[in-house]
Amino acid sequence: MRPSLIYRNGTIYELLMRGLYGRHYPARYRAIAELVPDGASVVDLCCGPATLYTRYLRDRSIEYTGLDLNGRFIARLARAGGRGVVWNLRSDTPLPEADYVIMQSSLYHFLPEPAPVIDRMLAAAGKQVIIAEPIRNLATSDNRVLAAIGQRFTDAGDGAQARRFSEATLDAFFRGYEPRVVQRSLIAGGREKLFVLTA
């Protein structure tokens, strides 16, 4: 399946995300990078153009692997000196193991039942699972035009995703993992909510 335009080009993807997050764009990555200590290994699911790696982790002694369905994003990561693997997260294949397994702004792709991917993340993580997910979305805007744009242009290559999390539904989902949740906080000017789960 052909991905939406924003998923075909890393530069377009980053420009759109910068537009959405404005001055909070760098903060969304810093919040995650600060949780990963030097010397750690990281697997970044749905890594996109791997901005977390290229701007925040590359110059540290971190063993990084990015997984994404999009071969163009993985090729871009390789050109930047990182390790990437084209990977379909809807398969049951066990994830590569790492100290920290991360997913940013992609859990909605697995609605209505995201628990299996979280469970595989927990199985692969040696220390923690870090998830940041948008809770304010264009796709759920009261403005029909903005909502249609948000829903239509978020096809990463496995079908458009109309569903999104609100803060209430995301909190409700993570209540099922309550014994493991060691941190939760709003980041990126309140557009995303961060959850850290112990492995």
Side-chain angles (χ1 to χ4, degrees):
M1 192 174 288
R2 189 174 171 86
S4 301
L5 176 63
I6 65 167
Y7 288 100
R8 290 182 224 156
N9 183 289
T11 302
I12 292 173
Y13 178 91
E14 282 215 66
L15 285 172
L16 178 65
M17 297 303 282
R18 281 183 177 277
L20 284 173
Y21 284 88
R23 63 188 175 89
H24 300 294
Y25 181 71
R28 68 191 295 262
Y29 292 108
R30 278 198 306 269
I32 291 176
E34 289 169 359
L35 294 170
V36 180
D38 289 349
S41 57
V42 167
V43 169
D44 186 6
L45 309 186
C46 303
C47 67
T51 304
L52 177 65
Y53 169 74
T54 58
R55 300 217 177 132
Y56 299 90
L57 300 180
R58 179 168 51 184
D59 295 332
R60 298 168 56 192
S61 56
I62 289 172
E63 180 186 326
Y64 176 94
T65 301
L67 307 182
D68 202 281
L69 186 61
N70 188 318
R72 292 182 185 186
F73 285 163
I74 295 302
R76 177 179 167 140
L77 171 57
R79 287 193 301 272
R83 179 175 185 272
V85 181
V86 176
W87 197 286
N88 183 354
L89 285 172
R90 293 191 184 280
S91 76
D92 293 331
T93 307
L95 297 170
E97 294 182 356
D99 297 327
Y100 296 85
V101 180
I102 296 170
M103 180 184 285
Q104 186 167 22
S105 301
S106 296
L107 191 60
Y108 73 91
H109 285 291
F110 303 93
L111 287 170
E113 187 44 67
V117 74
I118 300 292
D119 294 342
R120 282 188 288 132
M121 292 173 75
L122 286 165
K127 294 184 178 177
Q128 291 183 330
V129 165
I130 301 169
I131 299 168
E133 186 68 12
I135 55 171
R136 289 167 42 204
N137 301 279
L138 279 183
T140 54
S141 170
D142 290 335
N143 182 308
R144 287 185 186 179
V145 174
L146 289 177
I149 290 170
Q151 292 170 19
R152 181 174 178 189
F153 292 100
T154 54
D155 181 355
D158 59 352
Q161 305 294 327
R163 296 178 172 147
R164 296 294 187 279
F165 285 101
S166 65
E167 185 172 10
T169 60
L170 190 63
D171 284 344
F173 171 71
F174 276 106
R175 275 197 287 276
Y177 294 90
E178 195 61 44
R180 292 182 180 266
V181 176
V182 294
Q183 179 181 336
R184 74 186 81 211
S185 57
L186 294 174
I187 62 171
R191 291 192 68 93
E192 290 186 5
K193 194 157 189 177
L194 174 73
F195 286 83
V196 180
L197 286 69
T198 188

